[in-house]
Amino acid sequence: MSKNIKLVHPRDQITEIISRIYRRGMTTTSGGNISMIDQNGDIWVTPSAIDKGSLRASDIICVKRDGTIVGKHKPSSEFPFHKAIYEARPDIKSVIHAHPPALVSFSIVRQIPNTNIISQAKHICGPIGYASYRLPGSNDLGDVIAEEFKKGHKAVIMENHGIVLGGSNLTDAYERFEALEFCARTILYGSQIGTPKYLTDEQINEFESQARGVLPEMESVSYSSDEVEKRLEICNIVQRSCQQGLMISSYGTVSMRWNNNDFLITPTNINRWDIDLDDIVQIKDGHRETGKTPSRAAWIHQEIYKRNPKVNSIIMTQSPYLMAFGVTGEYLNVRTIPESWIFLQDINMVEYGTHFRKNKNSDIVDNCATALIVKNDSIIITGDKLLQTFDYLEVAEFSAKSIVLGNSLGEMVPINDEQVEDLRKKFLS
Ligand SMILES: [Zn+2]
């Protein structure tokens, strides 16, 4: 979807996001609904009981300010609470409601996920409200939800039902939805292998106050064909990571070495799903491309490239099963199957905050391993070709998933030292 969403019709925005939510396993065919309110006060909303997997722009309904319904279906049965939210909160222009599995887990045990589990989520989600159970589709349900939004919340857990989120636009609401479901998944998976540990508000504030764009700007920029090719490669991998559930809108940095220590890197503050060629930032001779702000983590990428000549691409991201280890501090033993150990060797973990620029952590930049977990923050994967680095990320996430799932069956039996030695001789020397 174009970043300039003001130029994308509400119908097209809604169909794009609902299909993204469906493909990412965050709604069923029948469940969930999305709406947007436009400048006229007309509300665009998904239809009732239409397949979410094949929704078209022409299926979207418009409920006019005066109540007239335009469209070929009935509006969503949950339209009353969408309307109640817009009436309660004029700053909210879009609403998403769904029954994503991890957040429903919280809803049915009547808990609210603590967003201090990862660095950026508290800032994106804000405080989370809680609306008690009411009959679906009723005005009563609209009232209890609107009450929570009136308190200033933009995300509300619906008791024994699901989640509802608001945003200043649809992208903003989606980003909040995705981050909150990610927190819920991470806490759930983490709880299967250990005890999740949460960041303090001070640690989160420190993350938010990190300097951005500290590199000086270039005087003039040139774009060679190999540079443009790398931009395309980065965009493709970012898109693929989002689609495969290995990256969310609000977090993740991908870079590729270009010439010597010059590199190309993703920007800060742009929704990862929508990153385009001209968003990628060129870093040359320690200068950033004019008018663009590279990721806050650009300094880590820069130092890794300087000190590790064999590293030609880096992915820094959050994926749910790897973060289960990152938030519990449990050791991720990749001596699970030969492939995992051959690709990743042993994965280290560093404390939260050691990845901030001021700490110049040598475990990250000097002893740069193929995969490294930064507690409550991210996984950093390095490699030669970008596709290979992406594959390492997938292998790491799969390994983490197998361990989390296997944990309920019994204790993992790792490949022994002798077997690892044989792997080393055959595949790594
Ligand atoms: Zn519902």
Side-chain angles (χ1 to χ4, degrees), residues 31-33 78 81 97-99 136 141 158 161-163:
N33 31 74
E78 295 295 15
F81 77 66
H97 162 62
H99 318 140
L141 178 62
M158 297 160 68
H161 188 153
I163 183 79

Side-chain angles (χ1 to χ4, degrees), residues 193 197 321-333 346-355 361 363-364 367 369 371-380 400:
I193 52 165
K197 295 175 187 71
Y321 288 99
L322 285 165
M323 288 311 292
F325 289 87
V327 302
T328 53
E330 293 293 324
Y331 178 56
L332 172 53
N333 188 347
D346 297 319
I347 298 186
N348 289 326
M349 199 178 288
V350 294
E351 291 300 320
Y352 179 86
T354 55
H355 60 309
N361 188 292
D363 281 338
I364 300 179
N367 316 322
L372 176 83
I373 293 174
V374 181
K375 280 189 187 171
N376 294 84
D377 188 83
S378 55
I379 172 122
I380 304 175

Side-chain angles (χ1 to χ4, degrees), residues 163-178:
I163 183 79
V164 55
L165 306 106
S168 54
N169 56 45
L170 185 48
T171 307
D172 180 49
Y174 177 76
E175 198 168 300
R176 190 161 294 118
F177 174 42
E178 196 189 34

Side-chain angles (χ1 to χ4, degrees), residues 292-416:
K292 293 187 184 173
T293 312
S295 157
R296 286 183 263 228
W299 79 270
I300 296 178
H301 294 242
Q302 188 172 38
E303 294 303 315
I304 290 177
Y305 288 129
K306 266 190 205 161
R307 302 184 210 187
N308 303 273
K310 284 186 182 158
V311 171
N312 289 314
S313 60
I314 303 169
I315 301 176
M316 190 169 176
T317 191
Q318 295 168 337
S319 57
Y321 288 99
L322 285 165
M323 288 311 292
F325 289 87
V327 302
T328 53
E330 293 293 324
Y331 178 56
L332 172 53
N333 188 347
V334 291
R335 298 181 174 208
T336 50
I337 59 172
E339 185 202 47
S340 297
W341 189 83
I342 293 165
F343 283 178
L344 304 165
Q345 284 91 58
D346 297 319
I347 298 186
N348 289 326
M349 199 178 288
V350 294
E351 291 300 320
Y352 179 86
T354 55
H355 60 309
F356 295 160
R357 186 187 185 89
K358 60 174 187 170
N359 295 316
K360 294 242 174 211
N361 188 292
S362 63
D363 281 338
I364 300 179
V365 293
D366 287 333
N367 316 322
C368 160
T370 302
L372 176 83
I373 293 174
V374 181
K375 280 189 187 171
N376 294 84
D377 188 83
S378 55
I379 172 122
I380 304 175
I381 310 265
T382 65
D384 180 14
K385 304 261 186 296
L386 184 55
L387 186 61
Q388 176 194 56
T389 305
F390 177 73
D391 183 40
Y392 292 165
L393 168 64
E394 287 188 319
V395 170
E397 177 70 2
F398 273 43
S399 308
K401 184 172 181 176
S402 301
I403 297 170
V404 171
L405 296 179
N407 206 47
S408 58
L409 295 176
E411 203 166 324
M412 164 184 161
V413 183
I415 296 172
N416 68 34

